[in-house]
Amino acid sequence: MTEACTNGIDTGFVALGYAKVAVLGVVQGITELLPISSTAHMRIVPALLGWQDPGSAFSAAMQLAALAAVVSYFWSDVSELATGSLRAVTHGDFGNRHFLFSVWIVLATIPIGLMGLALSSTLNACGSPLRTLTVIGWASIVMAFLLALAEIYSRHKRTLENVTLVDAMIVGIAQIGALIPGVSRSGSTLTAALALGLKRAAAARFSFLLGLPAIALAGAREVWELYKAHLSFDGWLILLVGLVVASTSAFVAIWGLMRVLERFSAWPFVVYRGALGVALISSVALGRLT
């Protein structure tokens, strides 16, 4: 299995071609917004199929597909925050709830922004040590354990109407974990929101809304890096196919996640993550996956 680099950026997805990238786009879209780690599945699925690793650049650029899905699914929340904040600024009403919530989201994005910049050279490097299946396996097990604790001890009573700046910063700091493949941005923020006592559906909404700036910045930054790396025209077209497919599957994933959390709990994801982690570590130890 070969490794593809374009000026130091891992661009393995280009060698995969349109059909394989479309398949990975479906996987990426579904797993990006579920608390099961898209990066983990972007390493696992190609490994199982004998395909080349699409690379961290592909996973990061696919954030734009997740952005489109989140904004469209939660359009009423996003538009309400935007118009409410603009109205508050226009009238000098800086105590407005919409304005404060928007400011909190921006402040909560700072931790992952700073850490992402600090680790960018390691995260995006060809053959990054953080993208090994062993790291992903252990990250999956740890997050399954933490999500289980959040489910067990959470009161599931609070709503978005009574969250505070402290809540936003705690979830924002938890978002840093998403930089480690296998942790999952959705998983880390949902776990933190549940631990703060939010109702399951409210915790998911809080997780998605708070993650919007981080998702947008990560995707836009990676596209810029690919541009600077002089990605070929064919490479851009392949990436576009992945984005279109991933945005559709991501929207379906959000719908499914909200239904599961509203009617059941996060336990299905706990079981899946734990089993995935054990399977990965065992497969690597037995030499079935490399």
Side-chain angles (χ1 to χ4, degrees), residues 133-242:
L133 293 177
T134 301
V135 169
I136 292 171
W138 280 112
S140 295
I141 292 174
V142 170
M143 286 308 301
F145 176 72
L146 293 177
L147 184 55
L149 288 180
E151 266 293 349
I152 293 170
Y153 293 106
S154 176
R155 293 172 296 164
H156 303 301
K157 292 182 178 180
R158 299 178 63 197
T159 65
L160 281 185
E161 283 62 42
N162 53 36
V163 298
T164 66
L165 171 59
V166 174
D167 295 325
M169 293 307 297
I170 290 174
V171 176
I173 292 172
Q175 195 171 215
I176 294 175
L179 296 174
I180 302 173
V183 170
S184 165
R185 195 207 64 79
S186 175
S188 60
T189 54
L190 178 64
T191 299
L194 288 173
L196 291 170
L198 271 73
K199 294 181 178 179
R200 295 183 182 93
R205 284 178 61 208
F206 190 32
S207 166
F208 286 128
L209 292 174
L210 186 142
L212 282 175
I215 293 172
L217 290 172
R221 182 181 182 280
E222 200 57 46
V223 168
W224 175 245
E225 290 297 325
L226 289 171
Y227 171 76
K228 290 196 300 180
H230 305 295
L231 182 67
S232 66
F233 179 71
D234 191 46
W236 286 114
L237 290 180
I238 292 173
L239 182 64
L240 179 61
V241 168

